Amino acid sequence: MTAAIQVEKLWTQFGDAVVHRDLDLTIHAGEVVALVGGSGSGKSTLLREILGLQRPTRGRVKIFGHSLHDASEAEFHKLRKRMGVLFQGGALYSALSVYDNVALPLRELRCFDEDFIRDVVMLKLAMVDIQPAHAHKMPAELSGGMVKRVALGRALALDPELLFLDEPTAGLDPDRSESFVKLIEELRHELRLTVVMVTHDLDTIVSSADRVAVLADQQVVVIGPIEEVTRTRHPFIESYFLGDRGRRALAAFHQHPLPPALDDEEEEADEPG
Amino acid sequence: MIHHPEIRDRRGEAGGAIALAGAWDIRSLESRSRQLGGELARYAGAEAWDLSGVQRLDHIGALLIWRAWNRRKPAKLVAHPEHEALFADLAAIPQVAPERRRISLVEPVRSLGDGAAAIAGGFIDLVRLLGQVALDLVAFARAPARGPWREISATIYRAGVQALGITALVGFLIGVVLAYLSGEQLKAYGANVFVINIVGIGIVRELGPMLAAILVAGRSGSAMTAQFGVMRVTEEIDALAVMGIPVAMRLVLPKVIALAVAVPLLVLWTNFVALTGAMLSTKLQLGIGYRMFIDTLPHAVPIANYWLGLGKGAVFGVLIALVACYFGLRIEPNTESLGRGTTQSVVTAITVVIIVDAIFAVMFSHVGFASR
């Protein structure tokens, strides 16, 4: 498996506060990785550094083998086009309609005619379950869930290989979160997407992530399948996954697809954390 | 190894088809989409297609091919199953044309009506704002202890104290220039000493208040409008309302009171600096001494002019604050509206200041001139 993202020996420092200390993280192509951690653990900062929006104090970030920091302007631009980002609040351009928001990155390429762009936009909107009737609404007229879906549609407009989701299901009703999770599942099969998501939603993690990376103590304490993560002894993991909420989500997961390896793990999970 | 997208016509061979190969994704197609689209269109009628050589396919590439197929699957198609799934997505693209805003004959009439209604609505909002401020002012006068003192003092600091530098710079330069230009003319008539009258009246009565007001409108008026706008976008105004904190009392009234206090003080300051500039200039250009300038000034500029200038400053301050709040509260929660609102606020505030200044000039045309 090739690595889509490699973070090597990353340090981030704001004044005296060290956010990341010698952090290493490798994400393979085609997998879905959930990034979890308490608030203030530097998840969003890490995401911004991977996206090249913020420069780490030390260390390097490689996307598809190209270092973000040594890349020329043109290379960097090319790399950026291979990534799609769903920002937490959607970040839709409030002056543009839903349609124009999704069309914007396509128009910016200047190599497709308007007719072609219309087909792509309508396809992406249909994929994220937005009715054509809503295409000419302004972002201010949309509900929170719709903003998220349109923003996902825009993130997918250029068929990215690497998709970043910042709190994708926050603010969605459970029904919608579920269809969101299904959508991501579908997309990664069809488009062979690599997905990195920052989320607090245990249901989403349990049902869609191949691996979970836990950010605590300024480092990635553990990265692996959920069973492996829950087996790790760490105060944050114990309170997060093995608290009441975590147990419920894990139990629901165990009832349906139950891989054999999980049986002994369940007993361990039942021990008081 | 990933190859460039390719089209091969193999219809001549046994079981022949149009064969596509290479990577058909956005990154490979980006620069070649038009050319490949044209090439594909030539094979539009072909019934048999072979996509087994396609290494990569995404929606954009699939759409390019799909359009060449006239939006339906060809009779014979060989493709990877995951690629076929992409075409299934494309088949589901809603073909209903997205509704564009229709243009009809009624449109001009409707937009005229909408415009008139918007102006009327704006006027009603203005009256409502004025009424609210008046009511709040009464409430404030009744219970001064419960008034928004912190907000008032913060606004005085931001709009007044922090504007001292820029008003001084502008005032000083205007004073120098005004004195120099009028001195140049008066020298020709040998009426050097009258430069003090011209500069004194001009600055104290007109330029001081105007300069201060225009600078405050540009600096603080725009900031106030933008602040309201962002508070609106981030729902802070709604949060205040829900907590039972009266928005007008907390946000509008302090600004009105603070500018009513701060602008006259800024006028005084601008006058002082501008007159200093004028004094320096007359000394250098005409050789009129500082002592002479200071002694002549009270005589040339009766005290009524000072009061008039300060009064104008207070009125301008109130108007700037009201205009800024009015436009700020009308901003809709989007970035475009924020920009437009801020521009409108500054332009309107400056225009209103100049119009009201003209009204003052007419109303007080008999006041403040030395009787000879």
Side-chain angles (χ1 to χ4, degrees):
Chain A
M1 251 195 284
T2 48
I5 302 173
Q6 281 167 288
V7 177
E8 293 165 0
K9 300 258 171 279
L10 182 99
W11 280 71
T12 311
Q13 228 167 319
F14 296 116
D16 286 337
V18 178
V19 182
H20 306 127
R21 189 189 299 275
D22 259 337
L23 183 145
D24 288 305
L25 175 67
T26 304
I27 291 169
H28 306 299
E31 69 175 347
V32 176
V33 173
L35 207 55
V36 298
S39 47
S41 60
K43 303 184 296 279
S44 301
T45 311
L46 182 60
L47 196 64
R48 288 177 61 84
E49 283 167 349
I50 294 175
L51 289 171
L53 292 173
Q54 198 172 319
R55 226 191 145 91
T57 317
R58 246 183 285 162
R60 64 177 62 239
V61 177
K62 284 188 190 166
I63 307 280
F64 300 116
H66 304 279
S67 165
L68 271 187
H69 315 300
D70 307 330
S72 68
E73 192 73 18
E75 277 173 351
F76 188 63
H77 196 66
K78 250 185 174 166
L79 277 179
R80 276 260 172 94
K81 276 198 222 158
R82 300 169 75 174
M83 311 188 219
V85 189
L86 169 62
F87 287 97
Q88 197 170 351
L92 292 183
Y93 305 115
S94 56
L96 299 180
S97 68
V98 165
Y99 180 92
D100 291 330
N101 258 289
V102 182
L104 182 79
L106 292 157
R107 288 186 181 142
E108 203 58 25
L109 291 178
R110 297 180 199 287
C111 53
F112 300 116
D113 54 38
E114 203 49 38
D115 210 32
F116 188 89
I117 290 176
R118 205 199 67 220
D119 274 350
V120 180
V121 173
M122 294 322 279
L123 167 68
K124 301 294 172 183
L125 288 180
M127 276 165 64
V128 293
D129 211 7
I130 297 281
Q131 304 298 317
H134 298 309
H136 285 282
K137 286 196 172 162
M138 300 305 280
E141 300 169 65
L142 302 179
S143 68
M146 278 171 78
V147 168
K148 276 248 151 101
R149 282 182 283 143
V150 173
L152 179 67
R154 188 181 67 180
L156 291 172
L158 293 184
D159 285 325
E161 293 159 65
L162 195 50
L163 184 63
F164 295 92
L165 309 171
D166 195 357
E167 298 284 0
T169 54
L172 296 186
D173 56 49
D175 191 33
R176 282 279 174 223
S177 332
E178 203 162 303
S179 57
F180 204 92
V181 168
K182 275 204 191 107
L183 174 65
I184 289 167
E185 199 65 19
E186 261 174 50
L187 289 173
R188 63 183 285 225
H189 282 129
E190 280 182 19
L191 305 174
R192 297 200 191 147
L193 275 175
T194 309
V195 181
V196 179
M197 55 180 159
V198 171
T199 182
H200 280 114
D201 183 6
L202 273 162
D203 292 321
T204 311
I205 297 171
V206 167
S207 51
S208 62
D210 298 323
R211 292 200 297 161
V212 178
V214 179
L215 214 59
D217 308 332
Q218 298 138 350
Q219 282 184 325
V220 175
V221 245
V222 57
I223 175 164
I226 185 114
E227 311 83 83
E228 196 185 310
V229 169
T230 47
R231 228 177 282 145
T232 312
R233 285 278 165 254
H234 186 279
F236 171 74
I237 295 172
E238 278 166 21
S239 71
Y240 189 77
F241 290 98
L242 307 178
D244 285 341
R245 229 166 50 90
R247 268 161 208 279
R248 250 175 293 153
L250 289 173
F253 175 62
H254 290 171
Q255 273 164 18
H256 302 296
L258 195 65
L262 280 178
D263 284 344
D264 50 5
E265 193 270 327
E266 202 170 24
E267 286 162 22
E268 214 178 328
D270 282 342
E271 280 168 27
Chain B
M1 184 64 201
I2 303 293
H3 297 283
H4 291 316
E6 269 183 301
I7 308 170
R8 291 195 204 100
D9 189 353
R10 289 201 183 131
R11 279 178 294 188
E13 302 165 24
I18 307 292
L20 304 185
W24 285 74
D25 62 357
I26 186 166
R27 268 152 289 286
S28 320
L29 291 171
E30 202 181 313
S31 47
R32 289 180 267 264
S33 66
R34 280 180 214 279
Q35 177 212 336
L36 281 168
E39 257 179 77
L40 278 173
R42 269 192 273 138
Y43 303 113
E47 285 299 312
W49 292 73
D50 180 4
L51 270 57
S52 54
V54 173
Q55 291 169 303
R56 274 202 218 147
L57 187 66
D58 63 7
H59 279 131
I60 305 251
L63 185 61
L64 210 61
I65 301 168
W66 183 250
R67 288 165 70 99
W69 291 349
N70 288 323
R71 299 173 189 282
R72 53 183 182 79
K73 259 192 189 168
K76 273 195 248 163
L77 171 67
V78 183
H80 299 296
E82 68 263 29
H83 291 170
E84 286 204 48
L86 289 175
F87 291 112
D89 287 344
L90 296 180
I93 296 182
Q95 278 308 311
V96 282
E99 224 177 292
R100 288 264 171 203
R101 219 158 269 164
R102 262 175 291 158
I103 296 163
S104 70
L105 289 173
V106 210
E107 200 57 37
V109 180
R110 182 176 297 157
S111 67
L112 185 71
D114 282 347
I119 291 172
F123 184 71
I124 291 172
D125 284 348
L126 183 65
V127 171
R128 190 172 291 155
L129 180 71
L130 284 175
Q132 187 64 53
V133 170
L135 287 177
D136 286 343
L137 208 56
V138 171
F140 180 46
R142 277 201 188 145
R146 286 169 48 88
W149 290 106
R150 287 173 66 91
E151 287 89 342
I152 292 175
S153 97
T155 313
I156 289 179
Y157 179 73
R158 273 199 302 269
V161 178
Q162 292 186 339
L164 287 178
I166 184 77
T167 45
L169 177 70
V170 173
F172 183 80
L173 292 177
I174 292 282
V176 169
V177 170
L178 186 67
Y180 176 78
L181 289 181
S182 33
E184 199 66 13
Q185 303 301 315
L186 291 171
K187 225 164 36 175
Y189 297 100
N192 287 3
V193 76
F194 282 104
V195 75
I196 302 171
N197 293 49
I198 293 182
V199 167
I201 291 275
I203 288 173
V204 171
R205 197 179 165 104
E206 251 345 282
L207 286 174
M210 284 289 272
L211 283 179
I214 288 172
L215 286 172
V216 168
R219 258 186 104 255
S220 309
S222 59
M224 287 173 185
T225 307
Q227 185 201 351
F228 271 112
V230 174
M231 286 181 82
R232 181 114 180 168
V233 174
T234 54
E235 295 183 312
E236 286 171 59
I237 291 187
D238 296 339
L240 278 178
V242 168
M243 282 195 275
I245 298 171
V247 174
M249 182 69 154
R250 271 310 156 92
L251 296 178
V252 180
L253 189 67
K255 293 185 169 60
V256 174
I257 294 177
L259 286 199
V261 174
V263 178
L265 294 175
L266 276 179
V267 169
L268 210 59
W269 167 249
T270 314
N271 285 349
F272 167 70
V273 182
L275 287 173
T276 311
M279 197 162 72
L280 277 175
S281 174
T282 46
K283 164 87 175 162
L284 292 174
Q285 189 198 3
L286 304 173
I288 296 175
Y290 301 140
R291 190 62 189 265
M292 167 83 172
F293 193 99
I294 292 168
D295 282 346
T296 318
L297 198 59
H299 196 68
V301 186
I303 195 70
N305 289 292
Y306 275 97
W307 296 121
L308 187 57
L310 293 187
K312 283 207 283 196
V315 172
F316 292 162
V318 169
L319 288 173
I320 291 166
L322 285 175
V323 167
C325 295
Y326 171 71
F327 283 104
L329 290 170
R330 279 166 68 88
I331 286 175
E332 285 156 37
N334 66 65
T335 46
E336 199 180 21
S337 173
L338 182 63
R340 201 173 44 224
T342 313
T343 311
Q344 276 179 340
S345 159
V346 174
V347 171
T348 311
I350 292 177
T351 314
V352 165
V353 161
I354 291 174
I355 291 173
V356 171
D357 187 66
I359 296 173
F360 265 98
V362 173
M363 272 171 58
F364 293 90
S365 53
H366 304 299
V367 179
F369 296 107
S371 48
R372 269 166 220 288

